[in-house]
Amino acid sequence: MMLGIYVIQAIGRTTYMMIKARDIVVSRKSKYQQIDVVDTEEFGRVLVLDGLVQSTEVDEFYYHELLTHPAMILHPNPEKVLILGGGEGATLREVLKHKTVRRAVMVDIDEDVVNISKEYLTSWHAGAFNDPRAQVVIEDGRTFVERAGEKFDVVIMDLTDPYGPEVARALYREEFIKKLHDILTEYGVLSTQAGTSFFYPVEYSELKRSLEALFNEVSSFSAWIPSFGYSCSFIVASKGEGLNDLSEEEIDGRLKSREVSTRFVGGKTLKALQAIPEYRKHI
Ligand code: SAM
């Protein structure tokens, strides 16, 4: 079999998935990470950082909708939203769908990722960077939060994995999660991606426990992301009501009342995804 060019996606520590590529569009080492944009046979355009698939043209909406909308509908009136990471601009795109939003601040450490995304990942951001409500800050998320002179209704952590590049790992640790709790408003909600809890159960449970120590309501769910090669976990931590309290009808009703159109998230989907395996309830 002629091999050709492949993206070798790490799924676990010694488990990989091969994604056949057609063309390498961009390959650049930034101050923080190796950035590759690759056109592939079955996932379309793919953003890869330090060898890890971040998102793909074909299935990015699974991840970005799940990371954004459960948290956003939990807050009664999310006007100010902070996104840590989110370089492609797709989380920003999803946040701005909520007509309650007046200000969305996206803080990514790597200007190269943002600039490459602006130019080559246009279906991801879909013009979100030009929305007058959006502000992009190039800075370490830790520094931004430590100096933040304002509070936010929703904070979304769209960072590389808790077990990925070192530059993001510190933001998953309890002492930083405490800082995020402090910059959230009264009914504030935090949403984070948590990677694969199957291959990295320790990192997953440490993150979940940190959130449970600080927030009244913590709910987790996971969904198979085809291009990741695993079921990606998401955790939503709320100072107000919990995701488990919402019915299918309430979830659909809130999305509808805010005129948010989605392709993946809906009441039935979200309730189904919260049905996690028995063993996962105790990690
Ligand atoms: N969907 C991806 C995933 O599931 O792993 C995450 C997407 S996004 C590309 C991850 C972003 O986090 C990158 O743009 C990276 O530059 C940013 N990032 C990593 N560490 C950061 C930090 N300390 N502060 C701000 N942004 C950071």
Side-chain angles (χ1 to χ4, degrees), residues 182-198:
D182 295 343
I183 66 163
L184 279 167
T185 53
E186 187 184 2
Y187 300 109
V189 187
L190 169 67
S191 174
T192 183
Q193 73 100 352
T196 159
S197 63
F198 178 80

PDB file of all heavy atoms in Angstrom, residues 182-198:
ATOM      1  N   ASP A 182     -13.431  32.870  40.793  1.00  0.00           N
ATOM      2  CA  ASP A 182     -13.525  34.229  41.366  1.00  0.00           C
ATOM      3  C   ASP A 182     -13.889  35.295  40.337  1.00  0.00           C
ATOM      4  O   ASP A 182     -14.436  36.345  40.687  1.00  0.00           O
ATOM      5  CB  ASP A 182     -12.199  34.599  42.051  1.00  0.00           C
ATOM      6  CG  ASP A 182     -11.927  33.688  43.260  1.00  0.00           C
ATOM      7  OD1 ASP A 182     -12.897  33.024  43.724  1.00  0.00           O
ATOM      8  OD2 ASP A 182     -10.762  33.616  43.698  1.00  0.00           O
ATOM      9  N   ILE A 183     -13.582  35.054  39.057  1.00  0.00           N
ATOM     10  CA  ILE A 183     -13.919  36.106  38.060  1.00  0.00           C
ATOM     11  C   ILE A 183     -15.275  35.838  37.406  1.00  0.00           C
ATOM     12  O   ILE A 183     -15.679  36.529  36.488  1.00  0.00           O
ATOM     13  CB  ILE A 183     -12.835  36.280  36.971  1.00  0.00           C
ATOM     14  CG1 ILE A 183     -12.721  35.043  36.089  1.00  0.00           C
ATOM     15  CG2 ILE A 183     -11.502  36.679  37.534  1.00  0.00           C
ATOM     16  CD1 ILE A 183     -11.989  35.307  34.782  1.00  0.00           C
ATOM     17  N   LEU A 184     -15.974  34.805  37.922  1.00  0.00           N
ATOM     18  CA  LEU A 184     -17.321  34.542  37.404  1.00  0.00           C
ATOM     19  C   LEU A 184     -18.352  35.324  38.216  1.00  0.00           C
ATOM     20  O   LEU A 184     -18.201  35.492  39.424  1.00  0.00           O
ATOM     21  CB  LEU A 184     -17.646  33.043  37.484  1.00  0.00           C
ATOM     22  CG  LEU A 184     -17.086  32.157  36.364  1.00  0.00           C
ATOM     23  CD1 LEU A 184     -17.203  30.683  36.709  1.00  0.00           C
ATOM     24  CD2 LEU A 184     -17.782  32.472  35.039  1.00  0.00           C
ATOM     25  N   THR A 185     -19.414  35.774  37.566  1.00  0.00           N
ATOM     26  CA  THR A 185     -20.488  36.500  38.256  1.00  0.00           C
ATOM     27  C   THR A 185     -21.332  35.534  39.096  1.00  0.00           C
ATOM     28  O   THR A 185     -21.074  34.324  39.115  1.00  0.00           O
ATOM     29  CB  THR A 185     -21.391  37.197  37.204  1.00  0.00           C
ATOM     30  OG1 THR A 185     -21.796  36.204  36.252  1.00  0.00           O
ATOM     31  CG2 THR A 185     -20.650  38.315  36.506  1.00  0.00           C
ATOM     32  N   GLU A 186     -22.379  36.061  39.714  1.00  0.00           N
ATOM     33  CA  GLU A 186     -23.172  35.294  40.698  1.00  0.00           C
ATOM     34  C   GLU A 186     -23.675  33.950  40.171  1.00  0.00           C
ATOM     35  O   GLU A 186     -23.588  32.939  40.844  1.00  0.00           O
ATOM     36  CB  GLU A 186     -24.364  36.143  41.144  1.00  0.00           C
ATOM     37  CG  GLU A 186     -25.156  35.523  42.285  1.00  0.00           C
ATOM     38  CD  GLU A 186     -26.397  36.365  42.629  1.00  0.00           C
ATOM     39  OE1 GLU A 186     -26.628  37.384  41.949  1.00  0.00           O
ATOM     40  OE2 GLU A 186     -27.106  35.971  43.590  1.00  0.00           O
ATOM     41  N   TYR A 187     -24.198  33.919  38.965  1.00  0.00           N
ATOM     42  CA  TYR A 187     -24.718  32.653  38.395  1.00  0.00           C
ATOM     43  C   TYR A 187     -23.757  32.156  37.309  1.00  0.00           C
ATOM     44  O   TYR A 187     -24.149  31.480  36.378  1.00  0.00           O
ATOM     45  CB  TYR A 187     -26.119  32.861  37.813  1.00  0.00           C
ATOM     46  CG  TYR A 187     -27.118  33.320  38.844  1.00  0.00           C
ATOM     47  CD1 TYR A 187     -27.607  34.633  38.823  1.00  0.00           C
ATOM     48  CD2 TYR A 187     -27.524  32.472  39.871  1.00  0.00           C
ATOM     49  CE1 TYR A 187     -28.501  35.071  39.793  1.00  0.00           C
ATOM     50  CE2 TYR A 187     -28.432  32.888  40.839  1.00  0.00           C
ATOM     51  CZ  TYR A 187     -28.906  34.201  40.797  1.00  0.00           C
ATOM     52  OH  TYR A 187     -29.782  34.639  41.767  1.00  0.00           O
ATOM     53  N   GLY A 188     -22.470  32.514  37.459  1.00  0.00           N
ATOM     54  CA  GLY A 188     -21.466  32.191  36.439  1.00  0.00           C
ATOM     55  C   GLY A 188     -21.320  30.700  36.156  1.00  0.00           C
ATOM     56  O   GLY A 188     -21.575  29.854  37.010  1.00  0.00           O
ATOM     57  N   VAL A 189     -20.910  30.426  34.895  1.00  0.00           N
ATOM     58  CA  VAL A 189     -20.751  29.031  34.457  1.00  0.00           C
ATOM     59  C   VAL A 189     -19.405  28.866  33.761  1.00  0.00           C
ATOM     60  O   VAL A 189     -19.002  29.739  32.971  1.00  0.00           O
ATOM     61  CB  VAL A 189     -21.874  28.618  33.478  1.00  0.00           C
ATOM     62  CG1 VAL A 189     -21.812  27.124  33.167  1.00  0.00           C
ATOM     63  CG2 VAL A 189     -23.248  28.972  34.042  1.00  0.00           C
ATOM     64  N   LEU A 190     -18.709  27.769  34.094  1.00  0.00           N
ATOM     65  CA  LEU A 190     -17.433  27.444  33.455  1.00  0.00           C
ATOM     66  C   LEU A 190     -17.610  26.185  32.626  1.00  0.00           C
ATOM     67  O   LEU A 190     -18.233  25.214  33.074  1.00  0.00           O
ATOM     68  CB  LEU A 190     -16.375  27.198  34.533  1.00  0.00           C
ATOM     69  CG  LEU A 190     -15.034  26.590  34.090  1.00  0.00           C
ATOM     70  CD1 LEU A 190     -14.255  27.559  33.218  1.00  0.00           C
ATOM     71  CD2 LEU A 190     -14.190  26.205  35.297  1.00  0.00           C
ATOM     72  N   SER A 191     -17.105  26.217  31.407  1.00  0.00           N
ATOM     73  CA  SER A 191     -17.149  25.024  30.535  1.00  0.00           C
ATOM     74  C   SER A 191     -15.730  24.720  30.083  1.00  0.00           C
ATOM     75  O   SER A 191     -14.984  25.635  29.714  1.00  0.00           O
ATOM     76  CB  SER A 191     -18.031  25.312  29.308  1.00  0.00           C
ATOM     77  OG  SER A 191     -17.975  24.219  28.400  1.00  0.00           O
ATOM     78  N   THR A 192     -15.360  23.439  30.142  1.00  0.00           N
ATOM     79  CA  THR A 192     -14.032  23.076  29.658  1.00  0.00           C
ATOM     80  C   THR A 192     -14.070  21.750  28.900  1.00  0.00           C
ATOM     81  O   THR A 192     -14.886  20.878  29.197  1.00  0.00           O
ATOM     82  CB  THR A 192     -13.010  22.964  30.813  1.00  0.00           C
ATOM     83  OG1 THR A 192     -11.706  22.667  30.269  1.00  0.00           O
ATOM     84  CG2 THR A 192     -13.394  21.884  31.812  1.00  0.00           C
ATOM     85  N   GLN A 193     -13.173  21.646  27.921  1.00  0.00           N
ATOM     86  CA  GLN A 193     -12.989  20.346  27.297  1.00  0.00           C
ATOM     87  C   GLN A 193     -12.039  19.577  28.206  1.00  0.00           C
ATOM     88  O   GLN A 193     -11.188  20.155  28.872  1.00  0.00           O
ATOM     89  CB  GLN A 193     -12.442  20.495  25.864  1.00  0.00           C
ATOM     90  CG  GLN A 193     -10.999  20.894  25.742  1.00  0.00           C
ATOM     91  CD  GLN A 193     -10.083  19.736  25.449  1.00  0.00           C
ATOM     92  OE1 GLN A 193     -10.482  18.578  25.463  1.00  0.00           O
ATOM     93  NE2 GLN A 193      -8.827  20.060  25.209  1.00  0.00           N
ATOM     94  N   ALA A 194     -12.190  18.269  28.286  1.00  0.00           N
ATOM     95  CA  ALA A 194     -11.350  17.495  29.218  1.00  0.00           C
ATOM     96  C   ALA A 194     -10.683  16.312  28.530  1.00  0.00           C
ATOM     97  O   ALA A 194     -10.240  15.363  29.188  1.00  0.00           O
ATOM     98  CB  ALA A 194     -12.196  17.014  30.397  1.00  0.00           C
ATOM     99  N   GLY A 195     -10.645  16.351  27.199  1.00  0.00           N
ATOM    100  CA  GLY A 195      -9.952  15.288  26.461  1.00  0.00           C
ATOM    101  C   GLY A 195     -10.606  13.929  26.663  1.00  0.00           C
ATOM    102  O   GLY A 195     -11.792  13.824  26.928  1.00  0.00           O
ATOM    103  N   THR A 196      -9.800  12.876  26.598  1.00  0.00           N
ATOM    104  CA  THR A 196     -10.347  11.529  26.700  1.00  0.00           C
ATOM    105  C   THR A 196     -10.173  10.998  28.124  1.00  0.00           C
ATOM    106  O   THR A 196      -9.037  10.833  28.614  1.00  0.00           O
ATOM    107  CB  THR A 196      -9.668  10.545  25.709  1.00  0.00           C
ATOM    108  OG1 THR A 196      -9.874   9.205  26.162  1.00  0.00           O
ATOM    109  CG2 THR A 196      -8.186  10.790  25.523  1.00  0.00           C
ATOM    110  N   SER A 197     -11.292  10.726  28.777  1.00  0.00           N
ATOM    111  CA  SER A 197     -11.227  10.216  30.162  1.00  0.00           C
ATOM    112  C   SER A 197     -10.905   8.722  30.163  1.00  0.00           C
ATOM    113  O   SER A 197     -10.523   8.177  31.198  1.00  0.00           O
ATOM    114  CB  SER A 197     -12.558  10.438  30.868  1.00  0.00           C
ATOM    115  OG  SER A 197     -13.552   9.683  30.200  1.00  0.00           O
ATOM    116  N   PHE A 198     -11.002   8.082  29.003  1.00  0.00           N
ATOM    117  CA  PHE A 198     -10.676   6.643  28.946  1.00  0.00           C
ATOM    118  C   PHE A 198      -9.157   6.450  29.015  1.00  0.00           C
ATOM    119  O   PHE A 198      -8.651   5.685  29.818  1.00  0.00           O
ATOM    120  CB  PHE A 198     -11.212   6.039  27.638  1.00  0.00           C
ATOM    121  CG  PHE A 198     -10.873   4.585  27.467  1.00  0.00           C
ATOM    122  CD1 PHE A 198     -11.611   3.595  28.102  1.00  0.00           C
ATOM    123  CD2 PHE A 198      -9.766   4.209  26.710  1.00  0.00           C
ATOM    124  CE1 PHE A 198     -11.283   2.254  27.968  1.00  0.00           C
ATOM    125  CE2 PHE A 198      -9.413   2.869  26.571  1.00  0.00           C
ATOM    126  CZ  PHE A 198     -10.182   1.886  27.207  1.00  0.00           C
TER     127      PHE A 198
END
